[in-house]
Amino acid sequence: MAESKNILSEERDGILYLSVNRESKLNALNFATLEELRIIFEEVVDNKNIKAVIITGSGEKAFIAGADISEIAELSELNARKFAENGQEIFSLIETCPKPVIAVVNGFALGGGCELAMACHMRVATAHARFGQPEVNLGIIPGYGGTQRLTFLVGRGKANELMMTGDMIDATEAKSLGLVNHICETKEDALKKSEEILRKIMSKAPLAIGMIVDCVNAVYTSNEDGYQIEANSFARCVKSGDYKEGTSAFLEKRKPVFKGE
């Protein structure tokens, strides 16, 4: 894994642990940190040793408290469009990653931080986590896909309310809305819960896991026929060695050993 200035990374037992490490700035996403995320996730796809990813923020106060306001304040209309498109592209890499990605949300997940968490496949929050898209307080809107992903996750009415008011919600409300999968008391507990989920997923067929990502994402892509993608993906699974191993193991009453091929 390439060295990063703003993101701590460690790989253990197939799980890549990423921690946005700008604690003095509440882990705000600046241009450099976003570019580091791009490089990391481009490598994750091709790195056979990495089976899953956990993303969190350094410290206890914040997961990521938003984008770097000092950089946003310098935007013009032209580079603002590029700013948004760049962030959308990087978060799409996370959303379409064929390996499971869980956000462990400790503290504030605001603006770009909430958008990053929503781009992950699942979210496990600490009890003191807070979520929000407060961009209207700066005279702007979410630009890294937040208007789309928040609407898909919580519904049109609540998404409009949260983005128009800029209000924050706590972990309990976030879970009730479907924004959060699980709530744990502490960050350590949330990491353990995420590891538990990922180890279970990692015991399954890797090709099938990646295809589930594709099929689920197709639900939210207007120009995609999700049913056809599902049928095509099902057929590709049947061509794989994992399919032969999975069915043989079931019939032989043993645990399958999947190789991702």
Side-chain angles (χ1 to χ4, degrees):
M1 184 61 60
E3 287 191 15
S4 299
K5 179 181 178 182
N6 298 302
I7 300 175
L8 301 177
S9 64
E10 180 185 5
E11 188 264 313
R12 297 197 309 270
D13 300 324
I15 300 176
L16 178 64
Y17 296 79
L18 300 176
S19 181
V20 178
N21 189 35
R22 303 185 73 225
E23 191 174 352
S24 64
K25 303 288 186 181
L26 295 180
N27 302 320
L29 292 174
N30 59 0
F31 298 145
T33 305
L34 283 169
E35 193 56 34
E36 288 173 15
L37 278 172
R38 180 198 298 276
I39 293 169
I40 288 169
F41 274 92
E42 287 176 343
E43 184 175 337
V44 163
V45 172
D46 296 323
N47 190 323
K48 293 183 178 180
N49 294 322
I50 297 172
K51 311 296 184 185
V53 182
I54 290 175
I55 304 178
T56 191
S58 295
E60 298 294 335
K61 289 185 178 180
F63 170 68
I64 294 165
D68 194 311
I69 305 302
S70 64
E71 293 181 344
I72 290 178
E74 300 299 321
L75 293 175
S76 66
E77 181 181 358
L78 178 62
N79 60 24
R81 183 176 293 107
K82 293 179 180 178
F83 172 90
E85 290 171 347
N86 181 61
Q88 290 175 4
E89 185 178 282
I90 293 167
F91 286 6
S92 180
L93 284 175
I94 298 171
E95 186 174 56
T96 59
C97 181
K99 303 169 184 182
V101 183
I102 295 181
V104 170
V105 181
N106 49 301
F108 294 111
L110 305 176
C114 188
E115 289 173 297
L116 173 56
M118 291 190 294
C120 296
H121 302 136
M122 288 161 271
R123 287 149 295 282
V124 178
T126 62
H128 68 283
R130 298 291 183 271
F131 297 82
Q133 299 288 167
E135 286 87 350
V136 291
N137 294 321
L138 301 174
I140 54 176
I141 65 171
Y144 291 163
T147 62
Q148 306 302 294
R149 292 191 181 96
L150 186 63
T151 303
F152 288 137
L153 285 166
V154 308
R156 180 183 295 185
K158 192 62 180 181
N160 272 326
E161 179 185 344
L162 289 173
M163 288 185 285
M164 290 179 181
T165 63
D167 286 347
M168 287 189 290
I169 57 173
D170 62 19
T172 300
E173 184 173 0
K175 187 174 186 294
S176 73
L177 292 170
L179 185 57
V180 163
N181 295 69
H182 301 278
I183 301 173
C184 299
E185 188 61 32
T186 67
K187 185 178 178 180
E188 182 180 359
D189 293 336
L191 285 166
K192 288 179 180 177
K193 180 64 178 178
S194 299
E195 291 165 348
E196 175 189 324
I197 295 168
L198 290 177
R199 289 195 186 101
K200 183 178 290 188
I201 294 172
M202 289 160 61
S203 72
K204 315 302 180 185
L207 291 175
I209 296 300
M211 290 180 200
I212 286 171
V213 171
D214 291 342
C215 292
V216 170
N217 285 338
V219 174
Y220 304 112
T221 308
S222 59
N223 60 344
E224 297 278 13
D225 182 343
Y227 289 100
Q228 190 60 58
I229 289 174
E230 180 185 281
N232 293 344
S233 298
F234 184 86
R236 288 172 59 200
C237 285
V238 171
K239 284 177 59 180
S240 72
D242 280 351
Y243 163 75
K244 294 178 178 62
E245 169 63 13
T247 52
S248 296
F250 180 84
L251 294 172
E252 295 165 10
K253 296 180 171 55
R254 60 176 174 83
K255 287 185 177 181
V257 179
F258 296 116
K259 297 181 179 179
E261 56 188 38

